[in-house]
Amino acid sequence: MKLTEGLDEGPVFLESNLNIAPDDTSETLTNSLANLGAKTLIESLPGILNKSLKAKEQDIKFVTYASMIEKPEGLINWNLKAQDILNKMRAMLPWPGNFTTLNNEILFLYESTYSMPNGDPFTGEQRYDDETKKVLVSDVRIKRFILDYFVENV
């Protein structure tokens, strides 16, 4: 990318894409992007130096800016949907981390997973994961379970 006055909005020599895995965190994504960036730089550098690779202007409507993450952003908002909580938790690992409070104590959460919600719509029976035989639960059940667990065990 050529330098311009704006942040990350200059002309681009070469683009690369990376799929974000369902279990990626900011840490794993940072490592993957660093490797992809190095590979892309090595691929594009000869063309930049011999001027055979021309920079292409970015479409300004796709230029974005993310503000710096602050420590309080790791506080889990239990009013969000379970998938949104999970995504935010993945984004906040390893820093600032994920935490909640219970009885004026700070509890740190280091790992989470998401299951598809609710029971069978016709019979009302719980749905189970065929491999693990674990019950698949909804947002409300997940949040209720977490709250009940903390209240009983902390």
Side-chain angles (χ1 to χ4, degrees):
M1 172 183 293
K2 286 187 175 181
L3 293 179
T4 60
E5 282 189 35
L7 181 64
D8 291 341
E9 64 180 36
V12 176
F13 287 101
L14 188 62
E15 291 181 20
S16 295
N17 295 309
L18 177 72
N19 290 325
I20 299 175
D23 59 345
D24 267 331
T25 65
S26 61
E27 181 176 39
T28 60
L29 196 53
T30 296
N31 293 336
S32 296
L33 288 169
N35 289 330
L36 181 61
K39 180 182 168 192
T40 304
L41 179 62
I42 290 168
E43 182 181 334
S44 63
L45 200 52
I48 294 170
L49 294 174
N50 71 23
K51 302 198 186 311
S52 64
L53 187 61
K54 303 296 180 206
K56 179 176 79 169
E57 291 292 330
Q58 293 188 67
D59 188 337
I60 197 75
K61 66 182 170 205
F62 294 113
V63 173
T64 60
Y65 175 76
S67 58
M68 184 172 293
I69 295 173
E70 303 287 335
K71 183 84 174 155
E73 291 180 70
L75 177 63
I76 296 170
N77 177 355
W78 295 107
N79 294 315
L80 298 174
K81 292 181 181 178
Q83 187 64 57
D84 294 337
I85 293 171
L86 176 64
N87 289 342
K88 186 171 179 186
M89 289 179 71
R90 292 173 34 229
M92 297 296 142
L93 286 174
W95 194 92
N98 299 287
F99 60 93
T100 191
T101 59
L102 180 69
N103 300 330
N104 296 318
E105 295 287 332
I106 297 175
L107 304 172
F108 292 92
L109 290 90
Y110 297 100
E111 190 174 314
S112 61
T113 57
Y114 182 76
S115 296
M116 294 302 292
N118 300 327
D120 184 294
F122 301 107
T123 67
E125 293 179 8
Q126 290 293 329
R127 289 189 291 167
Y128 294 87
D129 181 292
D130 290 333
E131 276 189 47
T132 65
K133 304 298 184 213
K134 291 183 180 178
V135 175
L136 303 175
V137 297
S138 69
D139 281 11
V140 173
R141 289 187 183 140
I142 291 169
K143 293 176 194 176
R144 184 78 237 168
F145 173 80
I146 291 169
L147 179 60
D148 290 346
Y149 177 84
F150 285 146
V151 168
E152 292 171 10
N153 296 293
V154 176

